[in-house]
């Protein structure tokens, strides 16, 4: 089985050498190279063969480290990824979907989509004082001024910095003009006559398990995140 070396930029304390099917499970075995172990695996001295259970554990750690180091949506974990996705979905719904009506021709829908989607994630559309707060044991992004005025109820402010806006913009762009752009385009093109593209609940559609996969399906859409009101950041 050919081996692939994990780039040192990911700063692992040990190196993982795995098969080319690193993204699939189960792998059957994982070879761990470490100066800390005296066991020898299939790759020789300094390597160790792991069973399926250990493989799954190491892959989970591997993915968590990758997420932390640079994925535009997932780098701060799934809770904040879900919050960022919902904000991006709200922006898409307000800035793009509302401009697309079922009575439009396909060409008109495409033109409206292409024009509007480019401005969905403009930095100026996000609060300068964006913050991360915790409510009910869950972290989420909010406008700091809203948090101070009790718009979200009782919360604990975890951090606030200009970099938070950068994170929100990057996540928004990843979702709306990155790998999901084509799916969003196809979705609005399917808007039926007599309807609007904004009739779709893009929070559930985009952020749920079938697409971005960062939010769990919830028929009530986790109203505690914004007290039942969607704030257009």
């Amino acid at each position: 089985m050919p081996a692939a070396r994990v780039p040192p930029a990911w700063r692992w304390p040990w190196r993982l050498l795995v098969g080319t099917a690193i993204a699939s499970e189960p792998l059957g075995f994982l070879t761990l190279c470490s100066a800390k172990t005296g066991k020898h695996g299939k790759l020789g001295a300094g390597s160790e063969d792991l069973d399926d259970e250990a493989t799954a554990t190491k892959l989970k750690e591997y993915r968590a480290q990758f997420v932390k180091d640079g994925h535009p949506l997932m780098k701060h974990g799934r809770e904040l990824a879900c919050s960022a996705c919902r904000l991006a979905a709200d922006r898409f719904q307000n800035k793009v979907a509302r401009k697309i009506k079922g009575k439009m021709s396909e060409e008109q829908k495409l033109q409206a989509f292409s024009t509007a989607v480019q401005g969905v994630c403009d930095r100026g559309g996000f609060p300068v004082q964006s913050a991360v707060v915790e409510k009910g044991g869950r972290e989420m992004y909010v406008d700091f001024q809203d948090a101070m005025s009790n718009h979200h109820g009782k919360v604990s402010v975890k951090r606030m910095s200009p970099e938070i806006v950068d994170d929100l913009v990057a996540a928004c762009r990843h979702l709306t003009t990155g790998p999901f752009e084509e799916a969003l385009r196809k979705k609005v093109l399917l808007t039926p006559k007599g309807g609007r593209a904004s009739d779709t609940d893009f929070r559930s559609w985009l952020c749920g398990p079938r697409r971005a996969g960062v939010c769990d399906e919830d028929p009530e859409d986790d109203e505690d995140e914004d007290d039942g009101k969607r704030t257009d950041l």
Side-chain angles (χ1 to χ4, degrees):
M1 176 181 289
R5 185 185 300 272
V6 174
W10 287 345
R11 302 190 301 277
W12 278 75
W14 30 258
R15 293 169 300 162
L16 285 173
L17 298 179
V18 301
T20 52
I22 190 168
S24 64
E25 297 181 34
L27 291 179
F29 74 90
L30 178 73
T31 302
L32 172 65
C33 296
S34 172
K36 299 179 181 179
T37 178
K39 297 181 180 180
H40 294 173
K42 290 180 174 63
L43 296 183
S47 69
E48 179 183 355
D49 292 340
L50 304 178
D51 59 23
D52 285 347
E53 183 177 354
T55 295
T57 299
K58 291 302 178 185
L59 278 175
K60 185 176 180 180
E61 294 174 359
Y62 168 87
R63 286 168 177 154
Q65 183 67 30
F66 170 75
V67 160
K68 180 180 179 181
D69 282 354
H71 192 285
L73 179 62
M74 294 290 293
K75 66 180 181 178
H76 296 302
R78 194 168 184 268
E79 283 184 359
L80 287 179
C82 177
S83 181
C85 186
R86 285 175 169 169
L87 294 176
D90 288 350
R91 293 189 66 79
F92 181 86
Q93 190 135 5
N94 292 327
K95 306 297 184 182
V96 182
R98 284 184 178 176
K99 298 182 179 181
I100 299 174
K101 302 175 179 63
K103 66 181 180 181
M104 290 178 168
S105 68
E106 180 173 313
E107 183 178 353
Q108 288 174 321
K109 290 175 183 176
L110 285 173
Q111 182 60 45
F113 177 91
S114 298
T115 300
V117 77
Q118 297 305 317
V120 170
C121 304
D122 287 349
R123 185 183 179 88
F126 291 89
V128 175
Q129 291 184 308
S130 293
V132 173
V133 302
E134 182 177 303
K135 179 179 180 179
R138 185 180 66 180
E139 290 189 342
M140 60 184 182
Y141 292 109
V142 299
D143 182 333
F144 181 72
Q145 295 303 320
D146 285 345
M148 292 299 95
S149 62
N150 294 321
H151 176 80
H152 300 279
K154 186 177 180 180
V155 299
S156 172
V157 178
K158 307 298 289 186
R159 61 183 182 276
M160 182 180 70
S161 72
E163 287 74 21
I164 291 176
V165 181
D166 294 336
D167 290 339
L168 289 172
V169 170
C172 181
R173 287 175 176 166
H174 173 77
L175 288 159
T176 60
T177 60
F180 300 100
E181 181 178 4
E182 183 60 24
L184 287 166
R185 183 184 292 109
K186 289 179 179 178
K187 181 63 176 175
V188 300
L189 283 176
L190 292 173
T191 304
K193 290 184 178 181
R196 288 174 173 266
S198 57
D199 293 338
T200 296
D201 179 355
F202 281 97
R203 277 191 170 195
S204 297
W205 187 90
L206 179 60
C207 305
R210 295 183 180 181
R211 288 171 188 87
V214 292
C215 300
D216 295 328
E217 288 185 326
D218 188 334
E220 297 183 0
D221 199 24
D222 285 342
E223 291 185 358
D224 63 337
E225 177 154 337
D226 52 16
D227 295 328
K229 301 177 182 179
R230 297 192 177 180
T231 303
D232 181 16
L233 294 183

